[in-house]
Amino acid sequence: MRRAEDREILRLAVPAFLALVAEPLFLLTDAAIVGHLGTPELAGLGIAAVVLQTAVGLCVFLAYGTTAAVARHLGAGDTRRAMAQGVDGVWLAVVIGAVVTVGGVLGTTPLVAAFGTGPEVAAQAETYLRLAFLGTTPLLVMLATTGILRGLQDTRTPLVVAVAGNLLNVVLNVLLVYGLDLGIAGSAIGSVLAQVASAAALLAVVVRAARREGAPLRPDLPGIRAAGRAGVPLVVRTLTLRAALLVTTYAVTLGVVGGAQDADLATHQLAMTLWTFLAFVLDAIAIAAQALTGRALGAGDLAGTRATTRRMLQWGVGAGVVTGLGLAAVSPVLGRLFTDDPAVAERLVPVLLVAALGQPVAGVVFVLDGVLIGAGDGVYLAWGGVATLLVYAPVALLAAPTGGLVLLWVGFSAVFMGARLVVLVARARGDAWMVTGPARA
């Protein structure tokens, strides 16, 4: 039985991890292509990327919520309804995408101005961002269709599309930026075209599956509204997580003076980048948890849900131990790979050791987060996120000024992740989240 569970978890988690890793790796390639145009272009790309990633990141519920809903109906044996609910999620993505696109294009100038950059960098950022916003709808459709396929227990197709789409993105960027000499505008156009192609490929797979099951493809307003309502708590959850990361970065600026500020900020950025990369490993298990939990509860299998949750928790802890030991082992040399500044390299080692100690806790947190998302327990996750942020924010704002960067990361690992652990374990130990059937009341 355990071997079967392990195979199921690996079948879903490994392609999910590779798809998660593919995106940042190809974003680095984009940055390298634009970076050779000049510093203003690269800085402009950085500003535009922050705006776009924030807008799209807040809509990740289109993937998470759809995964849970589709998996529930699949577990209940109603694939037609699973596809119908998934199609509702795609239409919701189109509606949100249209609103964000129009608002983003019209609001590009004030959005860039909010960063207070010089006119040359602002001009580059506006050029990229105004064009890149045209890819918002395809990006959101990709989230929704990926959620459908995950709910159908298929994480391989999104991986194939992610890799192919990102390779196309690189080719188009090189062709348009350098071949046609379009500069940073060429990079934005290439990215949008690649996003359209990726969305079309995923949509084709979903439409074919919906037709096979006889599910309707036309917009269903009640279904779209229901998908929107279900997504609100997940948006709140995401906002609280992003707010905690912003508070952490802001706290770094409070804890440094004079020339030390640049070194501490650079150290923190490197540490957070590495922590985020390791989070992909744990998030892949969480994605498997979403799909498996939704399917089991849809089938009314409470015992199976508990057994799978226990096994995924063991995977989460194990993955956390492995990533923690790995991070600790390479912490003395990682700094030199990313920077020539000895002050940053020196500061990075103790911060990474703190982050390494927190990895097993992060493993449990990520898995239980995925389990509760798969169970459709978004309202609890939203309130839990608010409570965690209220506990962590004052600690972060006091830690850096009094104890520096290392103490801040102790607060992040122990207080923020620890509070999330308490909130999630308290819920998982009870039965309130284990609502069975094709739809959560």
Side-chain angles (χ1 to χ4, degrees):
M1 178 64 181
R2 178 165 291 186
R3 286 185 179 179
E5 288 178 346
D6 290 344
R7 283 196 298 270
E8 191 80 346
I9 293 169
L10 283 172
R11 183 180 66 82
L12 295 171
V14 171
F17 168 68
L18 295 174
L20 289 169
V21 170
E23 188 66 29
L25 289 179
F26 283 105
L27 285 176
L28 288 175
T29 305
D30 281 0
I33 293 170
V34 172
H36 286 291
L37 293 173
T39 300
E41 287 84 354
L42 184 58
L45 175 64
I47 291 171
V50 169
V51 175
L52 288 170
Q53 287 169 5
T54 300
V56 175
L58 291 176
C59 296
V60 73
F61 74 90
L62 290 167
Y64 290 174
T66 304
T67 296
V70 170
R72 272 186 173 272
H73 287 288
L74 180 70
D78 190 353
T79 310
R80 180 182 183 278
R81 183 58 192 151
M83 294 308 305
Q85 194 141 3
V87 169
D88 291 338
V90 173
W91 281 111
L92 178 61
V94 171
V95 171
I96 295 174
V99 173
V100 173
T101 298
V102 173
V105 170
L106 295 178
T108 292
T109 299
L111 283 171
V112 172
F115 288 84
T117 63
E120 191 176 5
V121 171
Q124 299 294 334
E126 287 183 28
T127 297
Y128 186 94
L129 190 57
R130 189 169 283 112
L131 290 168
F133 263 122
L134 299 178
T136 303
T137 299
L139 279 171
L140 300 192
V141 169
M142 288 168 63
L143 285 177
T145 49
T146 296
I148 294 172
L149 294 172
R150 288 174 180 171
L152 295 174
Q153 319 296 292
D154 175 12
T155 55
R156 184 169 296 179
T157 300
L159 168 62
V160 172
V161 173
V163 172
N166 282 303
L167 285 173
L168 176 62
N169 180 40
V170 172
V171 172
L172 289 173
N173 266 255
V174 172
L175 175 63
L176 295 173
V177 172
Y178 297 113
L180 298 182
D181 198 24
L182 295 180
I184 196 170
S187 178
I189 294 169
S191 296
V192 170
L193 292 176
Q195 289 154 7
V196 170
S198 298
L202 289 170
L203 196 57
V205 174
V206 168
V207 167
R208 187 163 59 247
R211 285 176 173 165
R212 185 170 59 245
E213 299 298 331
L217 295 173
R218 63 184 179 276
D220 175 55
L221 291 180
I224 294 172
R225 284 195 296 266
R229 286 194 300 271
V232 171
L234 292 179
V235 172
V236 174
R237 163 200 168 272
T238 303
L239 279 170
T240 61
L241 295 178
R242 289 188 173 272
L245 297 179
L246 287 173
V247 166
T248 306
T249 301
Y250 177 66
V252 179
T253 67
L254 297 179
V256 292
V257 293
Q261 179 170 352
D262 289 346
D264 272 4
L265 284 171
T267 302
H268 174 71
Q269 181 59 37
L270 282 177
M272 189 57 72
T273 299
L274 291 166
W275 186 90
T276 301
F277 180 81
L278 293 178
F280 289 144
V281 178
L282 308 178
D283 204 28
I285 303 173
I287 288 170
Q290 293 173 26
L292 295 175
T293 300
R295 188 183 69 185
L297 290 176
D301 185 4
L302 294 178
T305 301
R306 284 289 186 194
T308 302
T309 299
R310 283 195 298 270
R311 189 56 182 159
M312 284 188 294
L313 281 172
Q314 292 170 354
W315 272 86
V317 172
V321 169
V322 171
T323 57
L325 289 174
L327 183 60
V330 299
S331 60
V333 299
L334 273 178
R336 298 181 208 136
L337 296 178
F338 290 96
T339 179
D340 294 326
D341 187 337
V344 173
E346 182 181 348
R347 284 171 166 83
L348 188 62
V349 175
V351 172
L352 291 184
L353 290 176
V354 171
L357 289 173
Q359 285 295 295
V361 171
V364 175
V365 167
F366 275 68
V367 168
L368 288 181
D369 194 51
V371 167
L372 295 182
I373 289 174
D377 204 21
V379 173
Y380 180 84
L381 290 173
W383 284 111
V386 172
T388 299
L389 180 61
L390 291 175
V391 169
Y392 171 65
V395 173
L397 296 175
L398 289 173
T402 57
L405 191 60
V406 173
L407 186 60
L408 175 63
W409 269 81
V410 170
F412 178 78
S413 298
V415 179
F416 177 61
M417 296 303 291
R420 290 188 70 193
L421 178 70
V422 171
V423 166
L424 294 170
V425 169
R427 186 64 163 180
R429 288 172 64 88
D431 298 325
W433 61 277
M434 298 180 70
V435 179
T436 59
R440 186 180 178 95

